[in-house]
Amino acid sequence: MADLQSLTSQLESALQHPSSDSTPSLLSKTKIALLKSNALLPSPQTPAKLLHSALHILELGALISIRLQDPAAFTRYFQQLQPFYSAVDANNTTPSDSQRSKITGLYLLLLLSQGDYAGFHTLLETLEIQAARKGGDRALEEDEYIKYPMQVEQWLMEGSYDRVWAETKKDRVPSEEFAIFSDILTATIRTEIATCASKAYPSIPVTNAKSLLFLDSEGSVVDFSNERGWCTKDGRVYFPEIDGVDGEDGVEAGALGGTGGAGNVIGNALGYARELETIV
């Protein structure tokens, strides 16, 4: 336990200033220490103190992974934490300093940023069942970390991209870790809207593209256009012609991305793009 305590202290320091060079090695050492202590997976025989220490370490690993902008590592930590959360639920011994709510909310936001709407709703349904069992029907709506991704998902389904854009600003998110995935989510939305707009129109004014794509300047529009192989000329963005697409109404049948949540989001994006019809 002494070795675990030392490593935990180092992780707590690393959380404030994580380094892509040294912190992953520290995380690996800590996992090895948990393995040697037979605490990498919980069991009915795991002492409560060791169980809580292991849970705290894995939560630190999850949050550090976010700050290192490593979604894959964060996902692994989230999955490793689930049996620990089940264990403390069974014993009714959840530590008061647990970061469970924050980490779960971050994972929900990650699923949104990856377009995994099925995974998002599956997890949300699981959380609702857990809350109902504990007698807290409104617990999710009152939890700022869970409520935030729920609201973002609702705005996405409504096509309220301006609302998503406003609420993902660093001063509007529940914690600084959420801002990292918010940046990824904004980029995903921008890409979806760009794809739909390019299929809906032969060209649009640069000034309108700036608003449509939530970019900060017309120069950013030019840079974004160059990255996608678009042409900017005489104050307009020209999209490349696509076989089978004829002007504004020539959207291919498969352009809405299939069925389910992701298709709805892309469909909303296309609808938002079409609102420019009166000013293009």
Side-chain angles (χ1 to χ4, degrees):
M1 282 292 291
D3 189 31
L4 277 178
Q5 290 175 353
S6 174
L7 289 169
T8 300
S9 296
Q10 294 178 55
L11 284 178
E12 289 172 341
S13 298
L15 179 62
Q16 305 306 317
H17 304 286
S19 166
S20 58
D21 295 326
S22 60
T23 306
S25 175
L26 177 59
L27 289 169
S28 296
K29 289 179 181 178
T30 309
K31 280 193 173 182
I32 292 172
L34 286 175
L35 182 62
K36 290 180 178 178
S37 300
N38 294 320
L40 196 55
L41 285 174
S43 72
Q45 292 73 39
T46 306
K49 185 176 181 180
L50 182 58
L51 180 69
H52 292 173
S53 295
L55 184 143
H56 181 52
I57 286 170
L58 293 176
E59 287 184 333
L60 287 171
L63 296 175
I64 288 172
S65 296
I66 291 174
R67 298 199 180 194
L68 290 175
Q69 300 189 34
D70 189 345
F74 170 72
T75 298
R76 290 193 296 271
Y77 276 105
F78 177 81
Q79 294 169 343
Q80 289 175 318
L81 278 164
Q82 300 317 298
F84 285 90
Y85 291 143
S86 297
V88 295
D89 281 347
N91 299 330
N92 196 26
T93 58
T94 301
S96 59
D97 61 348
S98 174
Q99 300 289 314
R100 180 177 186 173
S101 179
K102 178 189 286 188
I103 290 170
T104 302
L106 286 164
Y107 187 67
L108 285 168
L109 192 61
L110 174 62
L111 292 175
L112 286 181
S113 72
Q114 295 174 335
D116 186 357
Y117 298 93
F120 177 90
H121 285 286
T122 297
L123 177 55
L124 196 58
E125 289 173 7
T126 300
L127 295 174
E128 290 171 346
I129 292 172
Q130 292 174 345
R133 287 175 179 171
K134 296 178 181 179
D137 293 338
R138 294 188 56 81
L140 299 184
E141 289 81 359
E142 295 170 354
D143 186 322
E144 64 171 337
Y145 297 122
I146 305 299
K147 181 174 68 173
Y148 178 76
M150 290 173 63
Q151 289 178 328
V152 169
E153 191 267 348
Q154 180 180 348
W155 297 328
L156 288 173
M157 293 299 100
E158 294 172 352
S160 301
Y161 299 106
D162 54 341
R163 187 71 182 272
V164 176
W165 175 254
E167 296 298 328
T168 53
K169 299 293 186 182
K170 286 183 170 58
D171 60 341
R172 304 295 292 272
V173 295
S175 73
E176 60 182 294
E177 291 91 356
F178 279 80
I180 296 173
F181 285 150
S182 293
D183 291 342
I184 298 173
L185 179 62
T186 300
T188 300
I189 294 171
R190 181 178 293 125
T191 298
E192 290 180 345
I193 292 176
T195 299
C196 293
S198 67
K199 292 176 179 178
Y201 304 103
S203 70
I204 59 175
V206 170
T207 53
N208 294 338
K210 173 177 170 288
S211 299
L212 179 67
L213 300 172
F214 303 111
L215 292 170
D216 296 327
S217 66
E218 294 185 7
S220 297
V221 174
V222 174
D223 293 339
F224 184 82
S225 299
N226 291 337
E227 291 173 1
R228 297 184 68 86
W230 298 343
C231 175
T232 53
K233 181 181 179 182
D234 300 328
R236 296 186 72 88
V237 176
Y238 291 88
F239 305 121
E241 294 184 4
I242 302 175
D243 292 340
V245 176
D246 182 19
E248 180 185 20
D249 296 322
V251 181
E252 293 175 299
L256 297 187
T259 60
N264 290 337
V265 169
I266 298 175
N268 287 333
L270 180 58
Y272 184 70
R274 285 185 181 277
E275 290 181 6
L276 289 180
E277 181 178 3
T278 59
I279 56 177
V280 173

